[in-house]
């Protein structure tokens, strides 16, 4: 068997293993959480019913991420999740010892389901994840703020402040001014929008802001983005047609929206479908617009399976062979993942997205 063939077989096995985990997710999660609560009566005393519902939800989450990591074949993906989990739970008063225990209980149930290579791979991921949990939380790093050399550094800080204060008009004014001085609009997309939302996410993770503040910040960014869109100079499309979408189950939309707007500015005729779109509809839309490029966005690692399925459906389109690009947070930890899902390329931000779209079209 050639190396690419071996790669495809391994991916098929990993995906089958991940599907098995997902199919039994609730059962394993409920058992693991019941076993945890049986050992720790104080949790039920302290949290009442919430200990059961939230605990089961969290255990189900471990499984979603384990399944996602299994699909990627990268233990680092699960280790990343555990590091994130330690911060989310640690900042809400839950100790790393409890995380270790909960991962072990979930892992035990998951391992019983698999055999062969998939089981071995899962064991490796669990060991790496549990070792990370035993190491505990590391002190939170400082905010990912721009260095003073960046021309948009001050605007970026002011924009984040406006988002946190809920100042819609203020944020719009800052973005308009940044657009005026920026070398290119994509600089505003990355330095203001992407950077500030990443920081907002981090602050939620560390329990420094509420879910409501996070939603408000996202709503403001979407409002500002729409306002800038109508103010941008767009010439007639010269490069071809691109369809940008998120997959079924994926709720993060801003990244895909930025990519859609940036491609349009770069001379593409773009249809932006939003996210959580039924895949049949995406394929129909791609055929109707005769898409040269289909760009698929996914943030959550547990949405890799829908990405791989969508890529297969697009590849199966009759009489058309659009180039397929993928991107979003799900592809960040494992750099070769885009190849595993069958795409033609990937990029980590809008600047890269424009470059790769031009390159595949050539
Ligand atoms: C806003 C937000 C939400 C909103 C989204 C609303 C909306 N309309 O988009 C809501 C509230 C729905 C949400 C839900 C959830 N979220 Co959320 N969310 C965020 C947040 C704060 C910002 C996302 C964002 O817009 N980022 C900015 C954009 C510009 O960046 P980007 O998506 O990476 O896009 C760039 C590139 O990736 C690339 N790109 C993107 N797509 C594509 C496509 C192609 C083809 C190419 C080439 C390139 C490309 O270019 C883009 C622009 O430069 C992030 C924080 C973060 N770090 O991003 C958390 C974050 C992603 N969310 C997180 C979580 C946990 C969740 C939930 C599970 C929460 C929950 N318990 O329900 C759910 C999951 C929902 C789901 N099934 O998808 C975690 C994920 C952690 C992890 N370990 O995976 C994060 C990182 C927050 C955190 N720090 O803890 N979320």
């Amino acid at each position: 068997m050639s190396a690419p063939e071996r790669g495809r077989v391994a991916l098929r096995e990993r995906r089958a293993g991940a599907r098995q985990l997902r199919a039994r997710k609730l059962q394993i999660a409920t058992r693991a959480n019941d076993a945890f609560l049986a050992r720790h009566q104080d949790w039920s005393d302290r949290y009442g019913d919430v200990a059961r519902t939230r605990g089961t939800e969290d255990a189900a989450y471990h499984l979603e991420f384990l399944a996602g990591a299994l699909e990627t074949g990268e233990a680092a993906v699960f280790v990343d999740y555990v590091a994130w989990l330690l911060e989310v739970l640690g900042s809400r008063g839950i100790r790393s010892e409890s995380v270790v225990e909960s991962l072990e209980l979930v892992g035990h149930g998951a391992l019983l389901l698999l055999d062969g290579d998939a089981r071995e791979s899962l064991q490796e991921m669990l060991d790496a994840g549990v070792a990370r949990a035993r190491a505990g939380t590391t002190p939170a790093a400082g905010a990912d703020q721009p260095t003073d050399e960046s021309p948009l550094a001050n605007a970026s800080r002011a924009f984040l402040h406006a988002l946190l204060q809920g100042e819609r008009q203020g944020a719009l004014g800052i973005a308009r001014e940044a657009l005026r001085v920026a070398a290119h609009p994509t600089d505003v997309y990355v330095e203001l929008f992407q950077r500030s939302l990443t920081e907002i996410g981090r602050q939620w993770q560390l329990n420094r802001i509420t879910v409501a503040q996070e939603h408000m910040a996202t709503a403001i960014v979407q409002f500002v983005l729409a306002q800038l869109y109508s103010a941008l100079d767009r010439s007639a499309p010269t490069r071809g047609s691109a369809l940008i979408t998120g997959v079924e189950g994926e709720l993060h939309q801003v990244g895909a929206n930025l990519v859609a707007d940036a491609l349009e500015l770069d001379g593409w005729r773009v249809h932006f479908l939003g996210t959580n779109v039924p895949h049949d509809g995406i394929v129909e839309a791609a055929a109707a617009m005769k898409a040269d490029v289909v760009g698929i966005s996914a943030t959550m690692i547990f949405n890799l399976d829908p990405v791989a399925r969508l890529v297969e459906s697009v590849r199966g389109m009759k009489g058309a062979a659009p180039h397929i690009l993928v991107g979003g947070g799900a592809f960040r930890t494992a750099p070769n993942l885009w190849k595993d899902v069958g795409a033609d390329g990937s990029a980590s931000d809008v600047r890269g997205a424009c470059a790769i779209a031009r390159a595949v079209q050539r």
Side-chain angles (χ1 to χ4, degrees), residues 134-147:
R134 285 193 205 288
T137 38
T138 39
D144 175 27
Q145 284 297 299
T147 59

Side-chain angles (χ1 to χ4, degrees), residues 61 65 84 194 197-198 201-202 204-205 214-215 218 222 249-255 258-259 295-297 299-300 325-328 332 347-350 353:
Y61 243 73
F65 277 86
W84 170 81
Q194 181 166 351
L197 282 176
T198 305
R202 209 186 69 95
W204 169 81
Q205 183 176 330
E214 187 203 354
H215 281 230
T218 313
Q222 288 181 302
E250 178 63 64
L251 301 184
H252 297 89
Q253 171 162 309
V254 180
L258 293 186
V259 169
I296 304 170
S297 182
T299 297
M300 303 305 295
L325 303 179
V326 293
R332 213 157 270 148
S348 61
D349 69 21
V350 280

Side-chain angles (χ1 to χ4, degrees), residues 43-346:
W43 280 61
S44 301
D45 296 344
R46 223 179 322 153
Y47 301 114
D49 280 352
V50 174
R52 191 157 302 266
T53 49
R54 289 299 294 273
T56 307
E57 248 171 58
D58 284 353
Y61 243 73
H62 302 342
L63 281 158
E64 276 291 356
F65 277 86
L66 254 184
L70 193 63
E71 270 161 351
T72 68
E74 300 273 355
V77 169
F78 192 60
V79 172
D80 248 33
Y81 165 69
V82 174
W84 170 81
L85 187 69
L86 287 168
E87 282 198 351
V88 172
L89 298 181
S91 59
R92 289 158 176 86
I94 293 177
R95 289 148 38 118
S96 54
E97 289 81 356
S98 305
V99 176
V100 170
E101 205 175 331
S102 153
L103 289 175
E104 284 175 341
L105 285 166
V106 164
H108 176 74
L111 282 167
L112 291 177
L113 279 185
L114 304 184
D115 48 29
D117 287 352
R119 187 178 204 278
E120 208 174 295
S121 189
L122 188 73
Q123 180 75 66
E124 212 177 283
M125 284 166 189
L126 277 165
D127 290 347
V130 168
R132 179 64 191 83
R134 285 193 205 288
T137 38
T138 39
D144 175 27
Q145 284 297 299
T147 59
D148 284 337
E149 293 90 72
S150 151
L152 294 180
N154 285 336
S156 187
R157 275 187 282 269
F159 189 73
L160 174 64
H161 181 76
L163 293 187
L164 289 169
Q165 298 305 310
E167 291 165 3
R168 222 156 25 143
Q169 287 302 331
L172 179 58
I174 295 162
R176 281 195 173 131
E177 178 54 18
L179 190 63
R180 201 181 60 76
V181 299
H184 195 271
T186 50
D187 294 344
V188 178
Y189 291 177
V190 175
E191 302 299 329
L192 266 64
F193 303 158
Q194 181 166 351
R195 196 184 282 278
S196 63
L197 282 176
T198 305
E199 178 57 20
I200 292 283
R202 209 186 69 95
Q203 294 205 16
W204 169 81
Q205 183 176 330
L206 295 170
N207 202 19
R208 292 179 186 159
I209 62 169
T210 62
V211 170
Q213 280 176 296
E214 187 203 354
H215 281 230
M216 177 172 71
T218 313
I220 296 176
V221 170
Q222 288 181 302
F223 161 76
V224 173
L225 189 56
Q227 301 287 321
L228 291 199
Y229 176 86
S230 49
L232 289 169
D233 277 341
R234 271 180 303 275
S235 39
T238 50
R239 292 194 193 283
S241 55
L243 177 141
I244 307 297
T245 183
V247 286
E248 280 168 356
E250 178 63 64
L251 301 184
H252 297 89
Q253 171 162 309
V254 180
N257 195 341
L258 293 186
V259 169
D261 288 10
L263 286 177
E264 203 169 309
L265 280 174
D266 201 35
W268 294 81
R269 183 170 69 89
V270 174
H271 282 188
F272 173 48
L273 303 192
T275 192
N276 199 15
V277 189
H279 291 184
D280 289 353
I282 298 175
V283 172
E284 252 171 58
M289 80 175 294
K290 297 190 170 51
D292 298 303
V293 169
V294 171
I296 304 170
S297 182
T299 297
M300 303 305 295
I301 199 79
F302 50 70
N303 284 330
L304 279 178
D305 190 53
V307 173
R309 281 191 279 114
L310 179 56
V311 170
E312 274 168 23
S313 305
V314 173
R315 294 272 184 238
M317 280 166 64
K318 287 202 181 69
H323 301 290
I324 303 178
L325 303 179
V326 293
F331 296 91
R332 213 157 270 148
T333 315
N336 286 321
L337 208 50
W338 62 270
K339 291 184 195 152
D340 286 351
V341 296
D344 299 310
S346 180

